[in-house]
Amino acid sequence: MKIFIVYAHPEPRSLNGSLRDRMVATLTAEGHEVIVSDLYAHGWKAALDGADFPAEAAGARLDVVAASHRAFAEGTQTADVAEEQRRLLWADAVILQFPLWWFSMPAILKGWVERVYAHGFAYGVGEHSDRRWGDRYGEGVFAGKRAMLVVTTGGWSEHYLERGINGPIDDLLFPIQHGILFYPGFSVLDPFVVYRASKMDAARFESVAGELDRRLAGLFVDAPIAYRQQNGGDYEIPSMRLKEGLEQAGQQGFRLHRS
């Protein structure tokens, strides 16, 4: 199978760098093809701006959605964006790897999403009517592909539980897993999260790496998160409101969108 790793950490000798190397070695040994986009090493341009649309008229007011659509449709995107899109289409599975910084992904990775997820490619596709509202949330260009997050964080695991001070890790990662991955069609696996990342010795690393190996072995067989499909009948259209009575006892917040 073909696996695309989007890696966002500035230090190759970091724990993230070691985990990335372990993933590449493990997946390659299992016969998979692996491509890595190392955003910091490649000097990825993080900011989405007018420079991303070189075919737009000089001095014209920038309408990002319209410009993005024209650039994608007419083949005038910058070369770096077009290459990342090719890699996404090539892959059977995508892994986003990053440290949790200020409760989200590093800015360089968010910028990768904003620039690569062009209108007409990852969003703004499909029929919009009184029975469908586009190909998204379980449908879209990445339907049939799998995705997983590999995340490190400095806090203890207890800090990210239901009553933990930082909030549940699933809630913190919901905008990424549901909004960035499930939205354009990926089947999203539970994240692999390493807590207390700064407290890592050789013995603990081998334990963590072994668990990561086990997760990678299930990349194409483990059940994905059971997010509700937008056009599967659970939501009113066009309000996109979950229909009454579908929630389980005590289910609220982001959990309403899991069946």
Side-chain angles (χ1 to χ4, degrees), residues 52-220:
D52 288 297
F53 313 112
E56 294 294 299
R61 174 183 175 273
L62 179 60
D63 181 328
V64 170
V65 173
S68 176
H69 183 88
R70 283 190 291 269
F72 174 71
E74 298 170 7
T76 60
Q77 298 178 115
T78 58
D80 57 347
V81 166
E83 176 58 26
E84 297 302 288
Q85 291 173 349
R86 282 192 289 270
R87 292 180 175 193
L88 284 167
L89 294 174
W90 166 86
D92 298 303
V94 173
I95 296 172
L96 302 184
Q97 184 192 351
F98 58 92
L100 193 70
W101 285 353
W102 287 107
F103 299 88
S104 188
M105 57 174 63
I108 198 169
L109 181 53
K110 182 58 160 53
W112 179 89
V113 174
E114 291 177 358
R115 295 184 63 221
V116 173
Y117 273 32
H119 188 274
F121 176 66
Y123 74 105
V125 298
E127 171 191 344
H128 287 72
S129 67
D130 59 357
R131 67 182 189 88
R132 295 182 60 82
W133 202 253
D135 297 339
R136 60 179 195 165
Y137 292 116
E139 300 171 295
V141 70
F142 304 133
K145 300 175 183 288
R146 293 193 152 218
M148 184 174 79
L149 303 183
V150 174
V151 181
T152 61
T153 183
W156 297 19
S157 61
E158 292 89 343
H159 299 176
Y160 294 93
L161 295 177
E162 190 69 32
R163 298 174 68 86
I165 185 65
N166 291 336
I169 191 66
D170 287 342
D171 284 6
L172 297 180
L173 297 179
F174 183 88
I176 303 170
Q177 297 188 137
H178 188 263
I180 291 175
L181 296 175
F182 187 62
Y183 184 108
F186 283 111
S187 295
V188 186
L189 298 173
D190 286 324
F192 181 81
V193 183
V194 180
Y195 300 98
R196 301 190 73 185
S198 63
K199 305 296 183 182
M200 186 70 60
D201 57 21
R204 183 171 179 237
F205 177 79
E206 284 306 312
S207 175
V208 167
E211 181 57 30
L212 179 56
D213 288 346
R214 289 187 285 276
R215 288 297 310 277
L216 294 174
L219 193 56
F220 295 102

